Amino acid sequence: MAATSAASFSVGSTMSFGSKASLLSQSKAFGVRFNSQNSLKSFSGLKAMTSVSCESESSFLGKESSAALRAAFVPKVQKRNQRSWNYLQPQASYKVTILGAAGGIGQPLALLVKMSPLVSALHLYDIANVKGVAADLSHCNTPSRVLDFTGASELADSLKGVDVVVIPAGVPRKPGMTRDDLFNINANIVKSLIEAVADNCPDAFIHIISNPVNSTVRIAAEVLKQKGVYDPKKLFGVTTLDVVRANTFVAQKKNLKLIDVDVPVVGTEVVEAKAGGGSATLSMAYAAARFVESSLRALDGDGDVYECTFIQSELTELPFFASRVKIGRKGVEAVISSDLQGLTEYEEKALEALKPELKASIEKGLAFAQKQTVTA
């Protein structure tokens, strides 16, 4: 039976709770029973239960991952009469590097990525204090092997042969710090890290978290172009936190289950977290981990992976824009243009209002990259 959910649309720094409705299939909890406790040993080493229940409503990664999980398990459950007991054996085969792993976002992000059954190796890099983080994480009995890398001399080794690079490196905006202060510090950090990515793992998916992301993604694109390895389908600005926040806020406002809420977010930020008292770290780590998991699922052949992200785009007159995309093994496969169709007058005005600021941020990143090239 279909459940009707409120489909709201969020643009820029505003949120609208629209009256549009869409039909989403009501997800149901399902159970997978194992007659042998040995079935789960290769997953996490935790004590196995005689039954496993996957509740899609409380899924860590949302309904897309829940649907993929159900699709993977249900056929196997139906074949139980064949007495194949290795139902839960995720293949850990992907390498992930986190650049800035000792920071406020990097540490919780590393923990969440360590939990992924698709990760075989987790490389943690930072300029200091990363050895303790790696040692701590290495005690978690999940499949991935954790390695630490410290300082510029070990940066290249942290990137060789990896499939996904996540960059939360940089400083958060602090009280008294101007946007220009934040930009100048983080722009240089992103530039140097992307140069290393271009030299050591040019084919990897690149996830940019470092703020201001509307500028740092543009910087990354220019550096990759200068290195001759730019693939716009594999460069992502991680805006998933905006989606996570919007879904949460709408669900609370409308008294809905999170599983029934899907709010595509385009443009820029939805809210300013911890205003005057720091930046979002735990929620940002959660959102980044969700995007990593989506990328890994896409690389692993899942054909139903969709996320909102800031990418090179032809959706508007701006060269980069945040929108919902379909991700596949080679990166972005399609941009979902329908999210910008049928907007209300309120949403149209909000969309137009954000464009000048977004354009300025993109151009600022481009000017920085070009200036650095001339100086060099």
Side-chain angles (χ1 to χ4, degrees):
M1 181 177 180
T4 303
S5 68
S8 299
F9 183 79
S10 180
V11 184
S13 59
T14 62
M15 296 180 63
S16 74
F17 304 110
S19 59
K20 300 177 186 177
S22 64
L23 296 180
L24 297 173
S25 296
Q26 180 66 44
S27 300
K28 298 180 180 179
F30 65 97
V32 183
R33 289 193 177 276
F34 298 90
N35 290 339
S36 169
Q37 291 190 353
N38 293 328
S39 304
L40 297 178
K41 281 186 177 178
S42 65
F43 175 61
S44 67
L46 301 179
K47 183 178 180 181
M49 301 296 290
T50 56
S51 66
V52 176
S53 179
C54 299
E55 298 284 349
S56 60
E57 288 87 352
S58 59
S59 170
F60 161 60
L61 294 167
K63 62 178 177 290
E64 294 89 351
S65 292
S66 299
L69 191 61
R70 283 197 303 277
F73 279 122
V74 171
K76 296 176 182 178
V77 175
Q78 293 172 344
K79 295 179 181 179
R80 279 187 295 184
N81 59 347
Q82 298 179 5
R83 295 193 179 280
S84 175
W85 307 116
N86 297 320
Y87 298 140
L88 190 55
Q89 300 254 353
Q91 184 63 45
S93 56
Y94 298 99
K95 297 179 180 179
V96 177
T97 293
I98 299 176
L99 303 178
I105 295 173
Q107 290 193 45
L109 172 58
L111 173 61
L112 294 172
V113 174
K114 180 72 169 74
M115 295 169 63
S116 173
L118 291 171
V119 178
S120 60
L122 178 57
H123 294 183
L124 305 182
Y125 170 85
D126 216 315
I127 57 175
N129 304 321
V130 73
K131 288 187 179 296
V133 177
D136 199 356
L137 277 183
S138 68
H139 298 167
C140 300
N141 55 342
T142 57
S144 57
R145 182 188 180 196
V146 180
L147 298 175
D148 64 271
F149 303 85
T150 303
S153 63
E154 297 183 3
L155 177 57
D157 287 340
S158 75
L159 293 166
K160 290 178 180 177
V162 302
D163 302 289
V164 177
V165 178
V166 191
I167 307 181
V171 299
R173 189 178 179 188
K174 301 173 183 177
M177 180 183 287
T178 67
R179 290 187 181 274
D180 282 341
D181 293 336
L182 177 68
F183 173 84
N184 290 330
I185 296 172
N186 287 350
N188 280 290
I189 292 173
V190 170
K191 175 181 176 294
S192 63
L193 294 177
I194 291 294
E195 287 174 344
V197 171
D199 292 339
N200 295 282
C201 54
D203 294 327
F205 282 19
I206 304 170
H207 298 182
I208 305 290
I209 299 174
S210 307
N211 275 318
V213 74
N214 295 335
S215 298
T216 54
V217 170
R218 185 61 156 133
I219 292 170
E222 289 306 305
V223 172
L224 293 168
K225 286 179 185 178
Q226 292 162 14
K227 290 280 189 177
V229 295
Y230 179 49
D231 184 347
K233 295 181 180 180
K234 294 184 178 181
L235 177 62
F236 306 90
V238 180
T239 58
T240 320
L241 178 55
D242 297 335
V243 178
V244 169
R245 285 171 173 162
N247 286 349
T248 301
F249 297 160
V250 171
Q252 290 173 348
K253 184 74 173 180
K254 299 289 187 179
N255 196 27
L256 298 168
K257 292 182 179 179
L258 277 170
I259 190 65
D260 294 331
V261 179
D262 182 20
V263 185
V265 180
V266 302
T268 57
E269 295 173 320
V270 176
V271 296
E272 290 286 344
K274 302 180 183 177
S279 63
T281 53
L282 298 177
S283 57
M284 184 67 246
Y286 170 90
R290 165 178 155 167
F291 199 89
V292 169
E293 190 73 9
S294 292
S295 293
L296 294 176
R297 283 173 42 216
L299 286 168
D300 202 43
D302 189 331
D304 191 32
V305 179
Y306 295 84
E307 287 286 356
C308 288
T309 179
F310 185 67
I311 57 167
Q312 181 173 314
S313 172
E314 297 179 354
L315 194 59
T316 70
E317 66 274 21
L318 299 174
F320 287 78
F321 200 74
S323 54
R324 182 158 50 178
V325 302
K326 184 178 188 292
I327 306 174
R329 281 178 167 156
K330 295 184 179 181
V332 175
E333 291 186 345
V335 176
I336 312 305
S337 59
S338 59
D339 286 341
L340 288 183
Q341 297 173 3
L343 302 184
T344 65
E345 181 181 356
Y346 176 83
E347 291 167 342
E348 286 280 8
K349 288 181 179 179
L351 180 60
E352 293 305 313
L354 70 85
K355 286 181 179 179
E357 182 178 351
L358 180 55
K359 180 182 179 182
S361 296
I362 295 170
E363 291 177 347
K364 189 172 185 177
L366 175 60
F368 173 87
Q370 291 177 337
K371 180 180 179 181
Q372 296 299 309
T373 302
V374 171
T375 302

